[in-house]
Amino acid sequence: MLILLLAPTTLFLHLNVSTHWRMASDVESQLHSLVLADNGIEYARTLLPLVELNPLLLGPDGTHCGTELPEWRSPMSFREAVRCQTSLWRPSCDDGLAVYNGQELLPGGYRSSGGGRFFLKFSNNPEEPPGHDEDHVILVRSLGMVPNPIHDPFFPTVRNGVALIEARLRQERSFLLTSPLTLFGDRASFQWQGALFSIQGEEEFAISIVSVSESHLLQELLESLTMAQGERIQGHGIRPSIRDAAHLYRTHPIYRNLFSVGFWSHLLHQLPDFADTLEGNVVYLPNGGVVDYPFSGILIARGDLVLRGQARIEGLLLHLGSGKLALLDGTQVTGGVWMSNLDTNGESLKARSISLQVSGTCSIRYERAAILKALAFLPPTQLGWRILFPETVK
């Protein structure tokens, strides 16, 4: 009788201990998979500035698989994720799989030292067609998977702890300029000294004017130029090669943000984080200064900024007002120059006067590749973040 009493008690204790042990193991796997999924989002943030979105959405085969598959935005379905053997899994569709420099980065997932993996998939935001992006806003889902160290005998097909995170990211292309010199404002003062400078737009217009509200900036610019100086502004169309680009900027998805107070408030709030040494690729000079050395990347300044001597800027020069931008004899900018002077204190943008001085043999030459290279140094903006569960995922 004693044995008959002890046997079920021992069995009960064994089952109770094993159940608690398995629960602790499952919790550990779940937390590990959540950390891996979050790491995947961070990795996607570093990768996104370097890739072209439309080829990414279509995948290496160049054709979109469609949206009929369940959970098509995810690397794989929840049902498949908890059952599959991670090292052997391969995707059935290549849409949204990260490819960089011709190398596919996703098959087999990204492995962690603890034995887990995370898988990434990019998809277009719901406001646009799934296979074509224009606004540079994209969704990325990161699936963290960790094999369960203890298998449940009642659910032998459950192999992995799984966590799925989705982030909504915007690839920063608002300053993908279409001219070597872009003036964003309503008023300006110009000092053109001599007729040896060069503003070269190649196949694009040399100067784009974008008005914030009612503007006479185009007329002021034309009146400030002599005939000989106008001949030095070359590009698409007649000389001087100047266009009113307000309609393009107000209607194109990647430029509409530039008319938002929130965009500029966010940018000005984040800029002090980039006020590092002049050896970085994104440099912010809040009080202007003198630049007389080569620089590659994005140079952002407020206040009086002077380019002189050996100043060679490759990429983007963003002058945000509160002073004058002066390009002196012999200096060069390859890429694009942006000028604005905005008041963001109200509910709508207001433009203050822009001040530009151009003298001697300085030059501004448009190069789209240099601008794209510079923009790759800007991290994407996170517009949303959420954890997805089997009951909520689509």
Side-chain angles (χ1 to χ4, degrees):
M1 290 183 65
L2 182 61
I3 292 174
L4 291 175
L5 289 171
L6 287 175
T9 303
T10 304
L11 179 61
F12 172 76
L13 291 174
H14 172 73
L15 291 175
N16 196 32
V17 170
S18 63
T19 300
H20 281 79
W21 183 262
R22 190 165 54 251
M23 289 175 60
S25 174
D26 290 346
V27 170
E28 181 182 359
S29 298
Q30 195 68 35
L31 291 175
H32 189 182
S33 65
L34 184 61
V35 171
L36 287 179
D38 193 41
N39 286 341
I41 295 296
E42 291 305 311
Y43 181 73
R45 283 169 56 85
T46 64
L47 183 65
L48 193 58
L50 306 174
V51 298
E52 291 293 328
L53 294 188
N54 283 315
L56 173 64
L57 295 175
L58 298 178
D61 66 357
T63 303
H64 198 270
C65 298
T67 61
E68 291 77 16
L69 295 175
E71 303 176 36
W72 67 274
R73 292 186 183 276
S74 304
M76 67 183 85
S77 68
F78 263 104
R79 179 181 176 84
E80 188 178 9
V82 298
R83 295 167 179 262
C84 77
Q85 188 172 341
T86 56
S87 60
L88 301 179
W89 180 82
R90 294 295 183 271
S92 59
C93 175
D94 65 0
D95 294 350
L97 305 189
V99 177
Y100 181 58
N101 284 343
Q103 180 182 3
E104 196 170 344
L105 303 177
L106 184 65
Y110 303 89
R111 188 174 181 179
S112 74
S113 58
R117 298 168 187 260
F118 67 81
F119 299 81
L120 294 177
K121 185 172 182 179
F122 296 87
S123 61
N124 206 6
N125 54 309
E127 295 81 10
E128 293 188 320
H132 182 72
D133 171 82
E134 287 190 355
D135 62 5
H136 289 261
V137 175
I138 198 166
L139 302 181
V140 57
R141 287 187 179 178
S142 176
L143 182 70
M145 297 171 56
V146 177
N148 292 326
I150 301 176
H151 294 287
D152 192 330
F154 299 104
F155 301 96
T157 59
V158 177
R159 295 174 175 268
N160 310 304
V162 175
L164 181 63
I165 295 178
E166 179 186 271
R168 184 182 177 99
L169 304 175
R170 183 178 68 218
Q171 193 183 45
E172 288 306 334
R173 292 293 187 268
S174 297
F175 293 109
L176 182 57
L177 306 183
T178 58
S179 294
L181 177 59
T182 302
L183 305 176
F184 187 79
D186 299 330
R187 308 186 308 275
S189 63
F190 300 101
Q191 293 177 266
W192 309 97
Q193 299 177 354
L196 298 177
F197 64 86
S198 173
I199 301 178
Q200 179 57 254
E202 305 295 341
E203 301 300 320
E204 305 290 343
F205 283 92
I207 300 178
S208 287
I209 293 177
V210 184
S211 57
V212 177
S213 57
E214 192 171 338
S215 172
H216 300 285
L217 183 55
L218 177 59
Q219 181 180 350
E220 291 176 356
L221 173 58
L222 292 173
E223 291 176 352
S224 70
L225 294 163
T226 65
M227 184 176 295
Q229 290 168 343
E231 290 292 317
R232 306 300 297 174
I233 302 175
Q234 304 174 8
H236 184 75
I238 63 174
R239 301 177 186 177
S241 175
I242 302 171
R243 70 162 172 177
D244 185 346
H247 179 72
L248 168 67
Y249 273 73
R250 287 186 178 275
T251 56
H252 198 286
I254 69 170
Y255 299 126
R256 285 198 295 253
N257 289 325
L258 294 168
F259 296 89
S260 165
V261 173
F263 173 87
W264 290 101
S265 298
H266 175 75
L267 176 65
L268 295 174
H269 178 72
Q270 297 294 326
L271 278 179
D273 294 338
F274 297 103
D276 53 9
T277 65
L278 294 177
E279 291 153 5
N281 295 109
V282 180
V283 173
Y284 175 47
L285 304 176
N287 300 310
V290 176
V291 176
D292 55 4
Y293 45 82
F295 175 83
S296 178
I298 303 178
L299 179 61
I300 310 171
R302 304 185 79 183
D304 291 329
L305 179 68
V306 178
L307 272 61
R308 69 182 186 188
Q310 298 300 312
R312 303 289 185 272
I313 309 297
E314 182 177 353
L316 275 173
L317 170 58
L318 308 180
H319 189 263
L320 304 183
S322 300
K324 179 170 66 175
L325 172 63
L327 284 74
L328 303 186
D329 187 47
T331 59
Q332 298 177 9
V333 178
T334 302
V337 176
W338 166 278
M339 294 190 68
S340 60
N341 188 14
L342 301 172
D343 180 358
T344 60
N345 292 323
E347 295 183 357
S348 59
L349 283 182
K350 296 180 181 179
R352 302 188 183 102
S353 182
I354 299 169
S355 182
L356 173 65
Q357 176 185 342
V358 174
S359 62
T361 59
C362 71
S363 69
I364 307 173
R365 182 172 63 86
Y366 183 72
E367 187 174 300
R368 180 182 170 87
I371 295 175
L372 285 171
K373 182 179 177 181
L375 288 173
F377 295 115
L378 291 178
T381 300
Q382 183 169 296
L383 304 176
W385 188 97
R386 60 176 178 160
I387 300 176
L388 295 172
F389 300 95
E391 298 80 9
T392 59
V393 69
K394 293 181 181 180

